[in-house]
Amino acid sequence: MSQSMTGFGKAENENEKFSVLVEIKSVNHRFKDIRFRSGSLFNDIEIELRKKLEAVFKRGSFDVYIHYKKKSNSESFDNIDFEKVRNFTRKMQSEVGEVIKLRIDPTQFLKADFQEESDLKNDETFKPLAIKSFDQALVELEKSRNTEGRS
C-alpha cells in the first residue's frame, strides 16, 4: 500500500490536573526532518518521541506541536511565581508607567508564563500524559497518510 507523506494527527488527553494536546503535521520531504514546537518542559522526552516517530516513518518533514493546560482549581494561585510577577510589573511601570496608566488583571498571571514549572516537572502523571497523547497522534498521522496515499 502506498503512503502519502502529507498528513495530520492530533490527540488530547487529560487527567484531574492537566490537559495535553499533541498535533503532528507532515509534508513531503526527500529526507526525514523533525521539528518540535513545545515548551522546555518536554525537552527530556523529546528524544524518546523523536525515536518513536522515526520508527514509524522513513521520510517526510514533521512539525510536532505539544501544548499543555493546567486545569483550574481552587489552588491555581498557589503556583504563581510571584517574583516573575513583581519583576514584570516593575519593568512595565518603569518603561510605560508614565506614558499610560497600567491596569493589571490578576487573572492574567494564571497564564503559563507566570506559573512555576517545577510542579509540572515533578508531577509523575504529566510526562506519561504527554507520551500517551503523542502515541495517539502518531497513530492518527499514520492513518491520515495511508488515507491520502490511497486517494
Side-chain angles (χ1 to χ4, degrees):
M1 173 171 58
S2 91
Q3 185 182 68
S4 172
M5 279 191 266
T6 302
F8 180 76
K10 177 179 175 178
E12 184 171 14
N13 287 283
E14 59 184 39
N15 61 21
E16 62 281 347
K17 297 178 187 177
F18 313 104
S19 171
V20 179
L21 171 70
V22 175
E23 297 174 317
I24 308 172
K25 178 180 80 168
S26 73
V27 294
N28 190 9
H29 195 276
R30 251 174 71 184
F31 304 105
K32 197 180 311 178
D33 181 31
I34 304 168
R35 290 173 305 283
F36 278 81
R37 311 272 196 252
S38 59
S40 61
L41 286 172
F42 302 101
N43 285 350
D44 55 340
I45 62 169
E46 183 178 321
I47 292 172
E48 176 185 349
L49 301 180
R50 184 179 295 273
K51 285 179 181 178
K52 287 181 178 210
L53 196 145
E54 288 173 344
V56 176
F57 301 108
K58 302 297 178 224
R59 292 178 48 202
S61 176
F62 301 88
D63 286 310
V64 180
Y65 301 92
I66 305 175
H67 311 279
Y68 73 92
K69 286 188 266 181
K70 286 182 69 174
K71 291 193 174 177
S72 62
N73 58 32
S74 60
E75 301 170 7
S76 56
F77 284 101
D78 294 344
N79 298 322
I80 292 178
D81 185 341
F82 287 103
E83 188 59 32
K84 279 185 184 176
V85 172
R86 279 190 285 281
N87 290 338
F88 172 78
T89 54
R90 272 191 221 118
K91 183 73 172 169
M92 290 303 291
Q93 286 173 335
S94 69
E95 296 293 325
V96 297
E98 297 172 10
V99 179
I100 61 171
K101 182 163 175 64
L102 185 63
R103 281 192 235 137
I104 298 174
D105 178 5
T107 60
Q108 292 298 308
F109 298 116
L110 295 175
K111 293 184 178 177
D113 294 341
F114 294 100
Q115 296 286 318
E116 293 178 350
E117 291 187 345
S118 61
D119 62 324
L120 294 174
K121 285 183 180 180
N122 296 328
D123 187 282
E124 58 203 37
T125 64
F126 186 65
K127 299 271 171 57
L129 195 62
I131 292 169
K132 179 180 178 182
S133 296
F134 180 86
D135 290 346
Q136 291 172 347
L138 200 56
V139 168
E140 292 302 313
L141 174 62
E142 189 171 26
K143 286 180 189 175
S144 173
R145 285 174 58 143
N146 286 335
T147 301
E148 182 76 21
R150 280 193 299 273
S151 62

